[in-house]
Amino acid sequence: MSLAAKLPWTHRFAGGYGGIGSQPLPTDADAIDYLSRMATADGAGVETGVAVAVDAFFRGLKATPGLFDAIKASCILCGARTLNGALVPMAGAAPANNNFISDDYTRGGATPGLKGNGSNKRLSQANPATPLQNSAHQAIYLSANSAFAAPSEATHIAEWPTSGTAGRTQITTNTSQTFTRCRETTGSYLGSTSVGVIGISRSDPADYVRRVGQASETITETSTGTPEQVVYVFNNSSGSYSDARLAFYSIGESLDLEALDEAVSTLVTAIGAAV
Amino acid sequence: MPDDIERPQPPASPQTVAELLPYLPVSADYGRQWALVFGDELAERLAEVQAAHPTQHWARPVQLTDGRHMLCGDLLSEVPSGLYGVGFQHLDASRFDEISIVPWAEAVALLPQPDTLPE
């Protein structure tokens, strides 16, 4: 990596100077806004290598029609210099941090992200958009999976109704299984799981798409309702906490999970190499 | 001034948070050994203080099956001036001896069990 890539992206010579190489700087207006808010929270701008990866991520999302706008709330839980910076939202409102400490956060390397403790740590935030019954998605980047073995499990993200089970939406894993619901009651198991992007997206009352291990499948389960607007990351409302490490999460309306997977996976890999 | 002066080590088996005040912030690894356990009155006071001084970071206790409330001990790595410093500075230090420190595994054994997933 060049010396220029290690300079804060806000540095006057970040774009290049004789002897330290040259490189492009962020150009996407939304990426620059996000990076600027992150720099305020962190106390310094991230390295240019990280900033360029974030810029490419934003531009990649926008290259697929509807993808960027479908993300209503999201945090990139890697790259930022501090936990404060990681909790700056790329979309939607900032989450409330319940019990995470700075040491729970790893900004780069092979397994970046924020690690739960499986007991009492979670993020919570309001979904800024009214949840829709038949247009919804949730996605996470699982850097390191839960250590819980069946029948125990870790819920990584959930948006449930205030009472009852209709319209539950969640992504849960243990060491051998993946369990998802998308605006429904029953839920569906996959007899395997994988690190990387796990996502669900519903655009039809009759079924939704689940993506695990870079493979998508259609789950035929009818939607049954809408959840409340509070989203929990690393937890659901009934006390199933995650002990996994997550590098990204997003919620919102239905979207192209394969395109999101490609953009997020590229981002996390690039950030991991940059810091 | 040398920068390799060793800080005094916190006790191996602390009983209350009051004993740890001279050692704050403790290391995250030290804090992870412990849970901070307290009763309803202190839980209500903690909620009041945080509501009066809101930040993005909330020390959010969970209620144990015996009715007491629990926080993870690693929060003590973020006080008095870290992520949870704002609320901490408004707590009544004279009541820290009412917050028991118990081994983390003992507290986890008292966590309510989550709903099971469908078969």
Side-chain angles (χ1 to χ4, degrees):
Chain A
M1 179 172 297
S2 72
L3 179 58
K6 291 289 188 185
L7 286 173
W9 70 281
T10 49
H11 192 280
R12 59 188 293 210
F13 295 144
Y17 188 76
I20 62 170
S22 64
Q23 64 189 343
L25 292 174
T27 56
D28 180 88
D30 291 311
I32 290 172
D33 172 67
Y34 167 67
L35 289 163
S36 298
R37 289 184 286 117
M38 185 199 299
T40 299
D42 273 342
V46 290
E47 298 86 344
T48 305
V50 175
V52 168
V54 169
D55 184 63
F57 175 63
F58 274 70
R59 287 187 284 107
L61 292 177
K62 292 176 179 179
T64 299
L67 190 56
F68 185 77
D69 291 337
I71 298 174
K72 301 303 183 188
S74 176
C75 279
I76 300 169
L77 298 173
C78 59
R81 293 182 183 274
T82 68
L83 180 54
N84 276 327
L87 296 181
V88 169
M90 64 153 280
N97 166 24
N98 299 151
N99 303 325
F100 282 103
I101 63 170
S102 300
D103 197 65
D104 296 325
Y105 173 65
T106 299
R107 64 182 300 232
T111 54
L114 185 61
K115 188 180 184 317
N117 69 350
S119 299
N120 71 338
K121 299 191 181 200
R122 71 182 184 191
L123 306 177
S124 62
Q125 69 173 90
N127 181 347
T130 301
L132 303 174
Q133 181 167 335
N134 294 309
S135 178
H137 93 272
Q138 286 182 347
I140 58 170
Y141 187 96
L142 192 64
S143 291
N145 189 21
S146 168
F148 293 156
S152 296
E153 76 283 328
T155 295
H156 309 303
I157 187 167
E159 190 176 18
W160 279 13
T162 305
S163 61
T165 58
R168 286 185 176 184
T169 307
Q170 70 183 87
I171 297 172
T172 299
T173 70
N174 54 32
T175 54
S176 59
Q177 298 167 301
T178 305
F179 176 83
T180 57
R181 291 181 169 115
C182 192
R183 300 293 194 258
E184 42 141 347
T185 304
T186 310
S188 169
Y189 277 102
L190 174 68
S192 64
T193 191
S194 175
V195 294
V197 168
I198 299 178
I200 50 177
S201 178
R202 178 184 290 277
S203 60
D204 189 295
D207 55 49
Y208 69 95
V209 176
R210 173 168 64 198
R211 187 169 179 84
V212 181
Q214 297 189 308
S216 297
E217 63 174 329
T218 298
I219 310 295
T220 304
E221 287 183 344
T222 304
S223 66
T224 58
T226 54
E228 63 170 325
Q229 287 186 259
V230 175
V231 180
Y232 293 120
V233 186
F234 296 94
N235 178 227
N236 65 17
S237 306
S238 84
S240 169
Y241 285 87
S242 170
D243 61 335
R245 189 179 288 279
L246 306 183
F248 172 88
Y249 73 86
S250 69
I251 64 155
E253 298 176 359
S254 65
L255 48 63
D256 181 338
L257 283 176
E258 184 174 352
L260 181 69
D261 185 344
E262 182 177 346
V264 172
S265 297
T266 300
L267 170 72
V268 174
T269 301
I271 287 176
V275 291
Chain B
M1 184 172 174
D3 58 5
D4 58 351
I5 296 175
E6 287 191 15
R7 297 182 60 198
Q9 294 301 303
S13 300
Q15 301 299 305
T16 74
V17 168
E19 291 176 47
L20 295 180
L21 292 180
Y23 306 96
L24 298 180
V26 300
S27 71
D29 285 342
Y30 177 84
R32 286 192 180 103
Q33 300 175 86
W34 313 111
L36 316 180
V37 178
F38 44 93
D40 291 341
E41 190 181 340
L42 284 186
E44 290 169 12
R45 180 62 188 145
L46 177 64
E48 288 171 1
V49 166
Q50 292 186 107
H53 305 280
T55 75
Q56 190 176 7
H57 309 288
W58 297 76
R60 185 82 69 185
V62 293
Q63 190 158 25
L64 302 175
T65 52
D66 65 4
R68 294 180 298 169
H69 303 264
M70 183 273 279
L71 287 169
C72 37
D74 59 9
L75 294 180
L76 297 176
S77 70
E78 296 284 2
V79 294
S81 58
L83 296 180
Y84 299 93
V86 173
F88 182 83
Q89 289 166 9
H90 290 89
L91 295 173
D92 182 352
S94 70
R95 302 194 67 178
F96 285 141
D97 62 357
E98 297 175 42
I99 304 174
S100 300
I101 295 181
V102 302
W104 178 248
E106 286 182 22
V108 167
L110 293 173
L111 286 171
Q113 293 302 303
D115 293 346
T116 55
L117 291 173
E119 294 297 326

